Amino acid sequence: MHAPTSSRFIDLAALESIRPQTLLFDLDGTLLLDEREVAGAAELIDRYHGRCAVITNNSTDLPETIAQRLAANGIRIPAEHIFTAGMLLVDEIVRFSRQAPVMALISPELEAFARMRGAVLSPDAGMVAVGRCTGFCYADLVISANLVRQGAALVASNLDTSHPSGLNGVVPETGSLVAAIQAASGTRKVVNLGKPEPTMATLALARLGCPPSRSLVIGD
C-alpha cells in the first residue's frame, strides 16, 4: 500500500495520476470533520464506486451507524465496506469470554452487540477490553488497574490518544484511557488491535479483491 496522504481536502487530480485500483480511507479528519464532509470526499468515492473501504480506529459505533453518518453527507460507502477497531475488539471479547469473563470498557452500542453475540461481561474478569468509553470513571480505573496488576490481559481497540475536532480541537480517544490504566497498574503490556496494525487493511483488501500494491490509503 502507498503511504498515507495528508488531507483536509482531497486532491482528485493527484489521485488520477497514481491510478490506484482501490482506496482505503480513514474516517475522522479524512472523510468527516465534525460530522461534515471533507471537501472532495463524496465526489472521489462516487468515481471509485464499489472500490472504496473505510479502515478506522473508531471504537464507538457499529459499521451500519458509520454508513448512515457518511450517507447523510452524500458519501456512499456500504456498511460491509467499513472496518473498525471497535468491531475487532468485539470479536476478541467474544472469543476470550468463551473461557473467562471480560471487563469491557466500551460504548453502549458495542457492549449491546457483544452481549448479543454471547459475550460474558463482568468486573471479575481475565481480560480488560478498552475502547472509547465516554462513561469511563474513577471506579472503572480502580477495578481495571487492579485486574491488570493481578494478571488480566489489557487489550485495546487502538492506542490513539485523540482524534481531530473542529477549530484545531481534539476528542480524547481510547489511548488516553489505556494510558491511565497502565499508569495506575504499572504495566506497559497492552495488545493493540487497531491501526497501525494491518488487520483492518488486510480484511478490507480481501473484501474488495485487491492486492496491496494496487491500493492507496488516505489518512489525515
Side-chain angles (χ1 to χ4, degrees), residues 37-58:
E37 179 210 5
V38 171
E43 180 183 353
L44 176 60
I45 288 169
D46 283 345
R47 290 191 187 187
Y48 281 80
H49 182 66
R51 294 184 288 145
C52 298
V54 172
I55 53 172
T56 173
N57 276 349
N58 179 293

Side-chain angles (χ1 to χ4, degrees), residues 31-38 41-43 46 66-76:
L31 295 178
L32 297 177
L33 185 61
D34 284 349
E35 299 303 311
R36 300 181 67 177
E37 179 210 5
V38 171
E43 180 183 353
D46 283 345
I66 294 173
Q68 292 167 5
R69 289 168 53 199
L70 292 170
N73 284 276
I75 301 172
R76 299 183 298 171

Side-chain angles (χ1 to χ4, degrees), residues 76-88:
R76 299 183 298 171
I77 298 180
E80 58 267 25
H81 286 183
I82 297 174
F83 300 84
T84 76
M87 295 306 289
L88 294 181

Side-chain angles (χ1 to χ4, degrees), residues 9 18 33 51 56 60 63 67 74 79-80 105-106 110 126 143 146 179 189 213-214 217:
F9 65 91
I18 298 171
L33 185 61
R51 294 184 288 145
T56 173
T60 305
E80 58 267 25
L105 299 170
I106 55 179
L110 292 190
I143 295 169
N146 280 285
K189 294 181 180 179
S213 60
R214 296 293 298 148
V217 177

